[in-house]
Amino acid sequence: MTGSVLRALRAPEVSLYEHVGERLESLLALFNIEDAGATIRHAYARLCRQSLDMPFGRRPIGASRLNADGTPFQFALALGAADPALQFLAEAAPPDAAGAERIAAARRCIRDLAGLIGAQAALSVVSPWLDALAPADAAELLSDEAGAIWVGAALGAGGSARLKVYANAKWGSANSRWARLDAYAARLGVATDWRGAHERLSGLQPLGASLVIGAGAAPAGRIYLSGYGKPWHEYEALGRHFGGPVFGFHLRQYGQTLLGDDCVYPTRSAVVSLGLQHGAIADVKVELCAHCAFDSDIQARSRCVQWLRQIGVDPALYLQMVDRMRAGPLCSTETRLHSYLGIGSGRGRPDSTFYFNPATARA
């Protein structure tokens, strides 16, 4: 055997947990959150030590809907009116867990992470809301391979941290799905506004709900609805209705820039979500599946940079994020690194969010 073959045989196999952890470490300075490094490492270990316990480069054992290839982890970058924020989202249970075990693992992780960031009081208030969204005894939810709950964190400059919990709403009858979302909106004090929004969104399907808590902050939520095969101008109309005429204009630009010539055809997978906060609908967001929108990661990077420059946002942080995520040259034939991307109405200036799969970025 040659020396290179022998070295390869002796080399220890890198786990997905180690690979993603290295990328997380590389992002601390980029986002100016080194002071919170210990908390972030603890949160990552608590959330991912079991769920990412698999060899890097191999397909995950259990299915996860977080990425098209089943990888149970996602990074996200948010750029807009507020300071840039780093987010990550993951499964909490081991890859071979299912049903009740996955829900129980997620709930234990939520409790521990809430304690880590000092949000125990907020969790005690919203825990029954999560029980209603993802009941531990709902047979149809337990049998759904997609899972019931995903857990993540949002990290801003200065080390501020928020716990983010996502619940699967694609189970039960159509009426029961909408009823759960209606009840969730009511718990957040947005029942009246949501009833009007519900009518406007009737052409979409319930997808999920999220809950955000932090130390000393009021809980915030988001309701997600999915669409498929809809023309882009329908999403523009929703953007104008919920985000105002300026956001509707930005949404038109976004579609033209990101989708290119395909903007005139029916879109494939898209998600519309409404942010619920302080008793009102706070914002609207439209997200695209990157695998549906782009031919390759190279095309995705080019169009994302074009979009950011078009709205006057420096693309440097996005490009640095891409460089830290990829494990080799960007793919020219498939979209592997970019998972989803979206635009939100934000605070008078569009918020752009980019979601990355750090496990499948090889050429």
Side-chain angles (χ1 to χ4, degrees):
M1 292 186 182
T2 65
S4 60
V5 172
L6 285 171
R7 284 193 296 274
L9 290 173
R10 296 186 189 124
E13 198 163 35
V14 175
S15 71
L16 183 56
Y17 176 76
E18 292 170 321
H19 173 79
V20 174
E22 289 174 358
R23 268 114 189 102
L24 180 60
E25 284 289 335
S26 75
L27 296 174
L28 298 183
L30 188 62
F31 284 85
N32 192 28
I33 50 178
E34 302 104 310
D35 291 347
T39 299
I40 294 167
R41 293 182 192 100
H42 191 162
Y44 173 70
R46 178 61 189 86
L47 177 57
C48 299
R49 190 175 295 280
Q50 288 186 307
S51 61
L52 302 188
D53 183 19
M54 62 187 77
F56 171 62
R58 297 190 190 179
R59 196 171 184 82
I61 299 172
S64 173
R65 298 292 172 83
L66 293 182
N67 293 289
D69 69 344
T71 298
F73 186 94
Q74 238 178 40
F75 277 115
L77 164 66
L79 294 173
D83 290 335
L86 171 67
Q87 305 172 39
F88 60 82
L89 178 68
E91 303 276 359
D96 57 351
E101 184 182 354
R102 290 177 76 174
I103 292 181
R107 293 305 298 263
R108 290 192 298 270
C109 187
I110 291 166
R111 179 199 64 210
D112 293 345
L113 293 182
L116 181 66
I117 66 171
Q120 301 97 317
L123 180 60
S124 68
V125 172
V126 304
S127 190
W129 307 358
L130 189 55
D131 291 337
L133 286 170
D137 59 353
E140 188 170 343
L141 178 61
L142 295 177
S143 63
D144 190 336
E145 291 183 353
I149 302 173
W150 301 269
V151 186
L155 311 156
S160 61
R162 293 173 297 155
L163 175 63
K164 307 189 77 169
V165 181
Y166 295 76
N168 180 359
K170 291 183 65 175
W171 60 277
S173 67
N175 287 339
S176 70
R177 296 177 187 187
W178 283 107
R180 282 194 303 276
L181 297 183
D182 292 346
Y184 183 55
R187 291 184 175 97
L188 283 159
V190 196
T192 302
D193 287 353
W194 171 249
R195 277 195 294 271
H198 183 161
E199 296 176 3
R200 187 82 183 189
L201 298 164
S202 59
L204 303 173
Q205 299 300 316
L207 178 63
S210 67
L211 182 63
V212 182
I213 59 173
R222 184 169 288 275
I223 289 176
Y224 300 82
L225 303 153
S226 62
Y228 192 93
K230 291 184 171 297
W232 186 252
H233 67 77
E234 290 192 16
Y235 296 115
E236 292 176 23
L238 290 174
R240 285 193 300 272
H241 179 79
F242 292 108
V246 173
F247 180 64
F249 170 75
H250 284 306
L251 200 54
R252 172 171 293 185
Q253 287 184 309
Y254 188 80
Q256 292 172 343
T257 304
L258 273 294
L259 296 174
D261 294 339
D262 290 338
C263 186
V264 299
Y265 300 109
T267 61
R268 293 169 68 184
S269 181
V271 175
V272 175
S273 64
L274 297 178
L276 313 179
Q277 191 171 16
H278 303 307
I281 294 176
D283 68 278
V284 60
K285 182 184 289 186
V286 178
E287 296 174 319
L288 293 169
C289 167
H291 305 277
C292 301
F294 304 120
D295 296 331
S296 69
D297 279 310
I298 288 179
Q299 184 187 69
R301 180 178 61 183
S302 174
R303 292 186 179 179
C304 288
V305 167
Q306 182 183 351
W307 162 249
L308 291 172
R309 287 177 173 155
Q310 189 171 320
I311 58 171
V313 174
D314 187 348
L317 190 58
Y318 162 78
L319 290 169
Q320 289 173 304
M321 185 87 172
V322 169
D323 284 342
R324 282 162 171 76
M325 291 297 100
R326 59 191 180 92
L330 283 185
C331 187
S332 60
T333 58
E334 295 179 81
T335 309
R336 301 176 182 176
L337 175 60
H338 295 79
S339 188
Y340 295 90
L341 60 157
I343 175 177
S345 56
R347 308 173 193 174
R349 180 181 184 184
D351 290 325
S352 301
T353 307
F354 309 90
Y355 302 84
F356 301 100
N357 176 358
T360 57
R362 291 183 169 180

